[in-house]
Amino acid sequence: MAQAQRKHIPNEIRRALFDATDRQCTICRRPLDIEGGTHHIGEMGHIAPHSLDGPRREAARPAEVDGLGNLMLLCPSCHRTIDKEPGLWPDEHLRAIKAEHEGWVVVERARPEPDEPLNVEPTGLGKMVKVGGVAYRVARDPEEERFADGTAIVSRAFAFAPDGRHVWIRTIATKWPGSEALERRLALAAEAGLLTEALPGLPTPVAASMTAERATLVTALPSFTTMAHFYGGRGREAEAVRVLAAGAAGLCKGLASLHARGLAHGALADDSIMTDRDGALFLRDAGQAFLHPIEPAEDVRQLAELIHLTVTGRPPVPLVSAAVLNPAVPERFAHALDRALSPDPAERGDIVELGAGLRI
């Protein structure tokens, strides 16, 4: 981010950068407008340097070194920190921080406002989590994943919104923006951005927030009942097979929305798929779509394997049809599963074909 012999950065680039960052420091999230005044303390710094001998000189230089993609809006302290110790702030790390912060700005702007402001904090048992000024009551003990280096904790929990709706809350709390924490935050921001598009079959976003220490996404659920709980021990019954055949339609629709974007869930399991009271299946979230990319054909196989296990009580066995293991399974249903379980991804068909084949 050297200062020597550089072109004047066009005003339209400056304005775009201030807008993309919501006039906050990209690293520490400090507001850059001077409170009560008419000026700001924001500084525009380069990721790959403008001059050939600047910090991070080994970074690949983009064609537009003064372009929006190579600039970060920073407070003076963060600007000097990353330039004084460029080895601690390599270009790929800065680009991840920039993408994560600017992604969350988009999410925050698209976040739906609560219908009514919460005037009284809800009462009841359980931990209270506030997001966007609204308090959510955690229904069960949160699942927690602590990073080995102690820099972050990922928490997931079912909760009640103030109006009684069921929601799924995911939070990433960080002490320091390490590479893994940044990857998780960026994935959560990308998922939140996708969900704001209201694509068929995907969860509805309820709230989102981002600070330097914590990123949170809240999405709506039809209930707290998982597929495992709904079908536990009775998946072989003829009525259960019929309900499952009908209920898979919404789930396949959600997966099709991901697949149309070149994404895949990658973590389908009977405890990550939710049901309503009628047995309709829904995605709880986007799974590993933005963390560990896989081919959509793997979702097709995972779902077929899960359904086979539910209706037969056994994992799939090559050349043994589900209809043989459970006479309550129609031949058409079993054939759709057999095709989707093919070892060759090219022969599995897509998720829409699987959903159509399961209909009874």
Side-chain angles (χ1 to χ4, degrees):
M1 300 183 183
Q3 303 294 322
Q5 301 298 316
R6 64 178 52 173
K7 294 180 181 179
H8 174 72
I9 296 174
N11 286 334
E12 59 269 23
I13 296 294
R14 293 171 178 267
R15 286 193 294 268
L17 186 60
F18 270 85
D19 180 68
T21 57
D22 200 26
R23 306 182 72 84
Q24 300 173 15
C25 174
T26 303
I27 292 178
C28 71
R29 310 315 201 270
R30 173 185 179 181
L32 297 175
D33 289 315
I34 298 174
E35 187 174 357
T38 59
H39 295 81
H40 65 79
I41 60 170
E43 299 181 359
M44 279 169 288
H46 290 76
I47 297 175
H50 184 279
S51 61
L52 296 179
D53 60 349
R56 288 167 297 280
R57 63 182 66 89
E58 71 285 351
R61 289 168 58 82
E64 294 292 335
V65 73
D66 290 328
L68 187 62
N70 193 49
L71 293 172
M72 299 178 75
L73 186 64
L74 302 166
C75 68
S77 177
C78 287
H79 192 175
R80 280 146 187 74
T81 296
I82 65 174
D83 278 1
K84 290 289 186 182
E85 293 288 351
L88 298 177
W89 297 88
D91 63 299
E92 64 272 13
H93 189 52
L94 292 180
R95 292 189 191 282
I97 294 175
K98 173 181 170 70
E100 191 260 344
H101 175 63
E102 294 179 7
W104 270 106
V105 169
V106 173
V107 170
E108 281 288 294
R109 288 173 176 167
R111 180 175 65 86
E113 295 296 328
D115 295 334
E116 296 180 3
L118 183 64
N119 296 318
V120 180
E121 189 166 308
T123 60
L125 300 175
K127 182 180 177 182
M128 306 301 297
V129 178
K130 278 197 171 183
V131 184
V134 177
Y136 298 87
R137 179 164 56 89
V138 174
R140 305 173 186 171
D141 290 339
E143 303 171 12
E144 288 191 350
E145 175 189 351
R146 296 175 179 267
F147 287 19
D149 59 7
T151 59
I153 300 174
V154 178
S155 301
R156 297 171 286 268
F158 295 113
F160 292 102
D163 60 5
R165 284 183 298 169
H166 299 81
V167 297
W168 174 239
I169 297 179
R170 284 170 288 163
T171 296
I172 303 171
T174 57
K175 295 181 180 178
W176 175 254
S179 58
E180 185 179 1
L182 279 172
E183 183 183 19
R184 294 291 192 95
R185 286 170 62 106
L186 185 57
L188 195 63
E191 180 176 343
L194 178 71
L195 298 184
T196 60
E197 299 181 33
L199 298 174
L202 293 182
T204 301
V206 175
S209 68
M210 185 273 295
T211 66
E213 298 80 20
R214 186 177 298 270
T216 304
L217 177 61
V218 184
T219 50
L221 291 175
S223 74
F224 294 151
T225 304
T226 64
M227 180 181 177
H229 185 266
F230 187 90
Y231 288 100
R234 63 186 190 92
R236 290 177 54 85
E237 299 172 8
E239 178 62 14
V241 174
R242 184 193 66 77
V243 171
L244 179 55
L251 179 62
C252 290
K253 186 180 295 184
L255 291 170
S257 291
L258 288 177
H259 296 176
R261 296 301 183 91
L263 302 168
H265 188 281
L268 295 172
D270 59 4
D271 60 354
S272 65
I273 296 172
M274 313 306 296
T275 71
D276 64 13
R277 64 179 61 188
D278 298 318
L281 303 178
F282 301 89
L283 290 174
R284 184 182 64 185
D285 48 47
Q288 301 293 309
F290 294 99
L291 275 176
H292 305 294
I294 62 170
E295 292 299 318
E298 184 61 15
D299 275 350
V300 176
R301 185 200 63 77
Q302 285 185 8
L303 181 57
E305 187 173 277
L306 181 59
I307 292 175
H308 185 285
L309 180 62
T310 301
V311 300
T312 68
R314 304 179 185 179
V317 177
L319 304 179
V320 180
S321 169
V324 172
L325 298 174
N326 180 5
V329 175
E331 287 292 341
R332 170 188 169 92
F333 187 106
H335 177 72
L337 292 181
D338 290 342
R339 181 187 181 193
L341 290 167
S342 171
D344 184 354
E347 295 181 357
R348 293 174 190 166
D350 60 32
I351 198 69
V352 175
E353 292 174 304
L354 174 58
L358 295 176
R359 295 191 192 114
I360 298 176

